[in-house]
Amino acid sequence: MPETRQPIRVAGQPLDALAEVIGARRLPPVERWDPALCGHSCMRIAADGSWYHNGERIERPAMVRLFSTVLRREPDGSHVLVTPVEKLTIDVDVTPFRALAMSHEGDGEKRRIAFEIDSGDAVILGAAHPLRMIDETPRIEVRNGLEAIVARPLYYELADIALAEGHQPPGIWSDGCFFPL
């Protein structure tokens, strides 16, 4: 079946238009599916965001994007690939996603920051998609407990914004929320 979900790109898009595109994106309702655990998928998401099956890297980005739509984080912190009829565990080295590009508009409390996620999705940093620091590494909630690590160059850009604005503690505003760095 050909992929119909094209990646969302944040570069050059006004954030209001980007928010509409994000809001129109429909993902499978994995949170409503509860099949029995069938075993292990023989899949792993490496720390760099690469997906592997039986030790071989999955080279087709469309395949990775498709698998990412049925990824779910369980209450115990584990990750599974889930459909209405089966559930398979998947190993995740750190987080399943990476935030690889960023766009922002406005200043201070009026700023909005969008992140492009390596799964082809995008999020606007705010109450629904908060940023938190884990072991000095910034992470954004993408959906249902699934997180993306913010790429180092983006973190440096966020830090520059925070330092320029002089908040104590240092942090950034996005979509009406303040996130300490």
Side-chain angles (χ1 to χ4, degrees):
M1 172 167 56
E3 182 191 27
T4 58
R5 292 182 62 228
Q6 293 301 312
I8 298 173
R9 302 291 181 217
V10 300
Q13 284 201 59
L15 265 57
D16 285 341
L18 184 60
E20 285 184 31
V21 170
I22 292 169
R25 175 71 55 105
R26 297 292 174 245
L27 294 170
V30 297
E31 66 281 353
R32 295 193 315 228
W33 297 337
D34 194 27
L37 184 64
C38 300
H40 197 283
S41 66
C42 299
M43 294 177 71
R44 177 175 74 91
I45 304 171
D48 69 355
S50 300
W51 287 56
Y52 292 85
H53 181 257
N54 286 328
E56 298 290 324
R57 185 175 176 163
I58 300 173
E59 298 292 341
R60 291 180 51 206
M63 184 68 69
V64 170
R65 287 193 302 271
L66 180 63
F67 281 128
S68 78
T69 66
V70 294
L71 182 65
R72 181 173 80 193
R73 188 166 189 185
E74 298 290 83
D76 67 2
S78 65
H79 295 84
V80 294
L81 296 170
V82 63
T83 71
V85 296
E86 69 181 349
K87 178 168 51 173
L88 299 165
T89 59
I90 179 172
D91 298 326
V92 177
D93 289 358
V94 182
T95 64
F97 305 126
R98 314 287 149 273
L100 301 176
M102 180 176 97
S103 176
H104 59 92
E105 294 176 353
D107 294 307
E109 293 181 37
K110 302 291 185 193
R111 178 180 301 104
R112 293 174 75 199
I113 303 171
F115 289 94
E116 187 175 306
I117 309 301
D118 63 352
S119 63
D121 292 313
V123 297
I124 295 177
L125 183 64
H129 302 283
L131 180 136
R132 65 188 187 121
M133 300 295 291
I134 303 291
D135 299 326
E136 299 181 13
T137 303
R139 297 179 181 197
I140 302 166
E141 182 166 335
V142 176
R143 65 177 180 274
N144 303 321
L146 297 173
E147 295 179 316
I149 287 183
V150 176
R152 189 174 305 260
L154 302 183
Y155 179 55
Y156 290 155
E157 189 174 342
L158 293 174
D160 285 345
I161 292 168
L163 293 172
E165 291 185 350
H167 300 292
Q168 286 303 322
I172 52 157
W173 284 93
S174 180
D175 212 22
C177 298
F178 182 76
F179 300 98
L181 297 178

